Amino acid sequence: MPKLGPNFYTSTWERIKDRLDPEHPDDTWEIAIAGIEGRFRERFEKPADAIQDLDKKDSSLYAEGRGFSIVAIDCLLLEALHGYEQGKRTKDSKKTGKAFEKLLTSKTEFFGDVFKEGTRARTFGSAVRNGILHDGETRDGWLVRQGKPNGQVVTAQGEWQVLNRDAFHTAVKKCLADYFARLRSADDPKHVELRRAFKDRVDVLCKESEPPTTASTR
């Protein structure tokens, strides 16, 4: 059976999903949440951390370091996280830019206000996310540089927009931790909808991971 996360399989999800009441997060919910949290940490966060640690030990690199690899992983993480918050994945590539614009401008507690300035949020999806993932490049005056993890995420250098990949990675990790904390919380009615969206998204993940012949018989 396909593995969704550490010790968490599609068979596990099928066994517990009907017992998951979004209004009452319990021990069964913790199985599902911990399983998908492990998926994010093992497949996205830890690999990016490892690349970042490698840069710290290697003084022979230029200022960019291995920034493209880290930013690529972080963009994948953010897009996946957005899907869990919405309860569906991004099916239309044209909507990716809008998804990133919404993410970056709404999560100011992690990214600050820098993406609300000018066209930064609007251009990030095409110039950084799409540029790196599709062609291994940034566009439209965007640069990726190493920086301090607690520094500003984006700074302007003349007409150039410089992404501090270490600060960006720190912000992405905080977004991830916050999401799973909200999933586990029973204190806010908004979290009920968040758990409902989570449940819908994992259902889609399981169905779409099946071979076409199996899925077509459902």
Side-chain angles (χ1 to χ4, degrees):
M1 296 295 290
K3 190 175 185 179
L4 303 178
N7 301 314
F8 190 61
Y9 298 82
T10 55
S11 58
T12 313
W13 176 253
E14 293 299 329
R15 188 177 71 251
I16 68 172
K17 68 176 185 178
D18 291 337
R19 291 153 45 197
L20 298 175
D21 181 354
E23 296 186 5
H24 300 97
D26 55 12
D27 290 344
T28 306
W29 264 104
E30 180 56 30
I31 295 171
I33 292 171
I36 298 300
E37 184 178 31
R39 177 186 181 87
F40 274 90
R41 297 208 186 284
E42 296 296 327
R43 301 186 183 192
F44 299 107
E45 184 177 345
K46 286 186 178 181
D49 283 346
I51 297 170
Q52 190 178 49
D53 288 342
L54 186 60
D55 267 3
K56 294 175 183 177
K57 300 173 185 177
D58 187 350
S59 60
S60 66
L61 293 170
Y62 294 104
E64 304 91 278
R66 298 173 177 86
F68 275 20
S69 298
I70 294 172
V71 175
I73 293 172
D74 281 341
C75 286
L76 287 171
L77 190 160
L78 281 176
E79 191 165 355
L81 186 61
H82 180 71
Y84 279 83
E85 290 182 325
Q86 301 300 311
K88 56 187 177 181
R89 66 175 176 82
T90 304
K91 294 184 178 181
D92 187 344
S93 60
K94 294 181 180 178
K95 295 180 180 178
T96 300
K98 288 292 184 184
F100 271 93
E101 184 175 353
K102 182 177 180 180
L103 273 165
L104 298 174
T105 55
S106 65
K107 297 186 182 297
T108 56
E109 67 269 40
F110 308 117
F111 294 104
D113 292 325
V114 293
F115 284 109
K116 289 190 174 183
E117 298 176 9
T119 61
R120 280 177 176 168
R122 181 160 52 83
T123 61
F124 184 92
S126 61
V128 180
R129 186 270 183 196
N130 291 354
I132 290 177
L133 292 179
H134 294 174
D135 298 296
E137 63 190 32
T138 53
R139 304 167 184 149
D140 300 330
W142 279 86
L143 302 172
V144 176
R145 293 288 186 267
Q146 292 188 53
K148 296 181 179 180
N150 59 349
Q152 186 161 303
V153 175
V154 180
T155 56
Q157 292 185 6
E159 296 183 354
W160 299 90
Q161 301 297 321
V162 181
L163 179 68
N164 173 348
R165 68 104 207 262
D166 287 342
F168 185 70
H169 184 54
T170 296
V172 170
K173 290 169 67 172
K174 288 180 179 178
C175 283
L176 185 66
D178 173 74
Y179 170 70
F180 286 105
R182 286 184 288 131
L183 272 181
R184 290 183 167 98
S185 173
D187 299 333
D188 191 327
K190 293 179 181 178
H191 300 153
V192 174
E193 292 304 316
L194 197 68
R195 285 187 287 274
R196 188 169 285 118
F198 171 92
K199 190 174 178 180
D200 290 343
R201 182 65 187 93
V202 180
D203 246 351
V204 170
L205 171 65
C206 291
K207 290 174 183 176
E208 293 189 344
S209 68
E210 296 175 348
T213 53
T214 303
S216 64
T217 60
R218 281 183 174 270

